[in-house]
Amino acid sequence: MGQAIEVDHVWKYYGDYPALRDCTLGIAEGSCCALLGRNGAGKTTLLRILAGLSHFQRGNIRLFGTAPRASETRRRTGFLGHGIGVYEDLSARENLVFFARIADVPSVSQTADGWLKRVGLDRVAAMPVRQFSRGMRQRLALARAFLHEPNVLLLDEPFTSLDDRAIAMLSQLLIESRERGATIVLSTHQLREAMAIASHVALIENGKLRYSGERTQDMLDDPTLLYRLHTELGAA
Amino acid sequence: MREKLAIALAAAGGALLVYNLYQMFLVLPDEAMQGAIYRILFFHAPAAIVGMVGYFVALTFSVLYLSSKDLRWDSLAASIVEVSLVFSLINICTGSIWARIIWGIWWTWDYRLTSALVCVLIFAGYLMLRRAIDEPTQRGRLSAALCIFGCVDVVIVWKSIEWFRNQHPGPVLSIRTGGGHMDPAMERIFWLNGLALLLIAIALVLIRTRQEATTREIDSLRRLAHAV
Amino acid sequence: MKPLYQAFSVARKDLAVEFRTKESLNAAAAFSVAILLLFSFAFDPFSDTIHELAGGLLWLTFAFAGALVFNRGFSRELPNECLDTLLASPLEPSSLLIGKAIGVFFLLLIVEVISLCVFGIFYGMRWWLHPGELALTCGLTTWGIAIVGSVFGALTVNLRLRELMLPVIIYPLLIPLLIGAIETTNTLLIEQPFTGYEWLWAKVLLVFDIVFTSLAVALAETILVN
């Protein structure tokens, strides 16, 4: 399998400050890469660049051979950021119909109804999202991110503040996505969950990529191993 | 190097200004209809030209920034807008003083003055926008977009107000020789003063650009300190 | 056609939300009635000179009330990071911008219709006698306000002091549009059809709309993506 995501000597500046420095990373098609690093390391910056939400100043990035901002790339990408990305004043169904429309999904209504059933929100489909519980909103967000069956999934700390049911649902969706060959990049602080589902890991510290490679049994046994071996703060 | 150039330009502009002031007040006679106050024209019109040209030069640098993402172009654009705004205000204030002396009113809704005021408002908005954005890349991007919209709008504003105000004619200037032509001696000082103001404007732009670069450096050091 | 379909999807979504909550519609309509009422104290509503001021009165009312509408345009994308979700989706930034402008356009038209009815009652003016020209003036001017309001709503969406800055930046830019609208509307309010002079201003409105819509489409990605 080829590389789904190629990050080639990428620099991202905020003014004169480099938030990402000379990052080079290749993520194979069908793999699941966990982006690890402390707060402010540059994980979210890299994810946002891959999602086409932010430009970079130097280097090159390709997702399936096209630039992140290309509409073809965004059609094949699913992004789940810190926010749930749904409208409070619309119903669950209206939200999914809208996102299905702009994602150019073939049968909009059918897809929306199918996903509502899948995430257990079919009985509250007509209810405005503002009346949903937190768990219900999270499940709707998952439906929104996955409904166009993206080839690349970019997830920014997806397990943070999810309840048990949503975590189980997300894990299941990720497994199914991998089975159909999707490539997953997720940033997380939760090392155990990351090591359990990831096939590859990448560690970022102060904007630099300190390590990237396959997830090993050692990492599974001791999730903090990477930090201790490859970061300056860990070494200290 | 840039500092030496700024000093040299400021000195040259200052010296030329002194020479022009000497010519204006001690050599040139008063104007037949306006008297002594006509001398304000030597600042009023050149300031307008420097200001207006400055906005369009800033437009060029804004476009350059958007295509190259080099923050030096953004610094130049912002510095030029700031200095142009100062000269536009000089234009408006001197126009106001002239109107008070000649017509007894502080303001006339002449299309040129009105358009100049609109330009000042648009580019004052540009500076307000820059102050509201901390992150340099975002600041450069958004203020470049506003500069482009602003400059395009300036052209439409100018013509619109001219057509609008031509329905409501205002007083007409008279110069000694009549027929709208300026006396050659006066015209010489007019252009020399324009040159003096331009040299001073460029010196100010160079100083401001250096300040912008320093601000960016401080900002990136602050970010580095927070990251560590 | 796809970008236009996407734009209409965005507009449809915005209008659905707005008709459900009616937040900005109610506020804008109430505000415009309040302004028309205030103006009645500044000028004698039934004097002869009111016809010279009526066009300006109306369009200033629409412009100020419009701020309440276009202010909400992009700010409603901020909760739950919906703006990021839209930008990461296949939706083109230009379609997002045009879609927002279409939504603002229709909402503003509703406010204008309500205001015109109130205006006719308060000021005794028969504004409906030349409906074609009135529709043209309202259509062109309202689109100009909508596109400029949406562009700068997008530009300022993530900034502090957004609500303070937006009117300060937008109103000077709208001056040519408002002059054209005022000149044409003044003629309609003295119950006269357009002459060559008003058609010239109508062309100014059209040129403004074309130029700013083109600029908006060209700079949409620059404005929306950091």
Side-chain angles (χ1 to χ4, degrees), chain C residues 153-218:
Chain C
L155 204 128
T156 57
V157 68
N158 283 314
L159 307 185
R160 59 177 197 273
L161 305 178
R162 170 174 43 86
E163 277 127 356
L164 296 177
M165 249 194 312
L166 196 52
V168 169
I169 293 175
I170 283 180
Y171 289 128
L173 292 169
L174 288 177
I175 284 171
L177 194 75
L178 292 174
I179 292 175
I182 290 167
E183 289 294 284
T184 47
T185 308
N186 274 341
T187 301
L188 295 174
L189 290 175
I190 56 171
E191 301 176 12
Q192 297 296 316
F194 279 4
T195 63
Y197 176 73
E198 285 79 26
W199 284 115
L200 172 66
W201 282 111
K203 285 176 196 163
V204 170
L205 298 180
L206 183 64
V207 165
F208 186 97
D209 285 354
I210 291 171
V211 166
F212 274 81
T213 304
S214 308
L215 270 180
V217 168

Side-chain angles (χ1 to χ4, degrees), chain B residues 138-160:
Chain B
Q138 186 187 21
R139 185 169 59 221
R141 180 173 56 86
L142 296 182
S143 46
L146 178 51
C147 191
I148 291 169
F149 275 94
C151 285
V152 169
D153 201 58
V154 158
V155 175
I156 304 176
V157 160
W158 197 270
K159 288 313 289 178
S160 303

Side-chain angles (χ1 to χ4, degrees), chain A residues 48 55 69 74 85 87 94, chain C residues 20 77 80 84 221 226:
Chain A
R48 287 177 65 84
H55 290 298
R69 280 301 306 164
R74 286 179 282 129
Y87 296 96
E94 284 168 338
Chain C
R20 195 160 294 167
E77 303 297 336
N80 300 332
D84 278 352
E221 176 118 1
N226 191 10

